[in-house]
Amino acid sequence: MYGLIGAMSLEVEALMAQVEDREEKKVGMDVFVSGRLFGQEAVLAVCGPGKVNAALCAQSMILHYQPEWILNLGVAGAGDATVSIGDMVVATAAVQHDMDTSPIGDPVGLVSKINLVEIPCDDALRAKLVKAASQVEGVNVHEGIIATGDQFIHSGDVRSRIHGLFHAKAVEMEGGAVAHACYVHGVPCGVLRSISDQADGHSDMDYPTFAALAASHSQQVVENLLRGE
Ligand code: ADE
């Protein structure tokens, strides 16, 4: 069984609508929808925005469904000017950009306990995601670091700081937490994002305009991926 997590309904609703032999289970405040999706056993959930919501959902999914891998999909802000609205980013690793114990000597972004800045994504799943994303017409696909934090980034200065620290190609609010939960439990993880805004001073206008199209692209990638399995 494969696990799919989006932060908002918009990011998984087209996939949810395609689930056959559907079953629902509620764990805490998360609703898990399982069944057959494009010929594969899958479980889907909307985790809600932010790292704690995402980590709780990923851990519950792992403990209740034992997925072979978990993919966190959805929209993101661009990590720098080489990434445009409509592009896709497949994570090589995820970081938690707002984790900061540097005043007591740690590198910015170090997640203590697991002792990592870059939380790895699964190489085999990443390669399949890149292939599936390349099949979406007219979309540029990037591979690189995705930076996660409990903030909607809407300032060029903040984006530059995150890029300077981590070389992030995308900024969002859940991938690093799903990757964290997967790492703790030894479950392969992927993070796929479609760019809805530049994470700069225009994001308040761009996000509502482009989020739906971006979200539909990342769900198209999942369809391509599952049909190819
Ligand atoms: N998701 C989509 N755009 C974002 C942004 N600018 N910051 C954080 N998460 C996002």
Side-chain angles (χ1 to χ4, degrees), residues 13-193:
E13 66 193 3
L15 296 173
M16 288 266 190
Q18 298 292 326
V19 175
E20 295 168 306
D21 306 327
R22 178 190 181 97
E23 284 181 25
E24 276 190 27
K25 175 153 69 184
K26 198 166 182 210
V27 181
M29 289 181 72
D30 289 312
V31 177
F32 293 97
V33 173
S34 59
R36 289 192 74 73
L37 182 61
F38 307 121
Q40 308 294 333
E41 292 297 317
V43 55
L44 297 83
V46 176
C47 66
K51 301 203 305 294
V52 175
N53 281 331
L56 284 168
C57 180
Q59 175 151 285
S60 294
M61 183 181 273
I62 291 166
L63 296 178
H64 286 264
Y65 293 91
Q66 293 86 41
E68 236 169 87
W69 48 249
I70 293 182
L71 173 64
N72 174 223
L73 72 146
V75 302
D80 73 1
T82 65
V83 182
S84 304
I85 291 172
D87 289 358
M88 289 209 208
V89 181
V90 180
T92 50
V95 300
Q96 297 179 11
H97 67 75
D98 54 355
M99 188 77 197
D100 187 1
T101 50
S102 62
I104 52 170
D106 293 328
V108 179
L110 183 80
V111 181
S112 48
K113 196 162 159 185
I114 62 171
N115 233 16
L116 291 172
V117 174
E118 294 187 4
I119 307 168
C121 291
D122 184 69
D123 278 338
L125 179 55
R126 174 167 54 90
K128 287 180 189 178
L129 285 166
V130 169
K131 185 169 169 230
S134 311
Q135 290 160 10
V136 181
E137 229 169 274
V139 164
N140 291 323
V141 184
H142 306 260
E143 291 176 72
I145 302 289
I146 292 187
T148 302
D150 289 324
Q151 300 159 8
F152 186 90
I153 307 298
H154 62 112
S155 140
D157 289 347
V158 177
R159 181 182 89 162
S160 294
R161 177 182 173 272
I162 294 170
H163 189 263
L165 285 165
F166 305 108
H167 311 291
K169 294 249 185 248
V171 291
E172 42 82 298
M173 300 176 67
E174 297 80 24
V178 172
H180 186 164
C182 285
Y183 182 83
V184 165
H185 290 281
V187 175
C189 175
V191 183
L192 167 73
R193 294 286 167 165

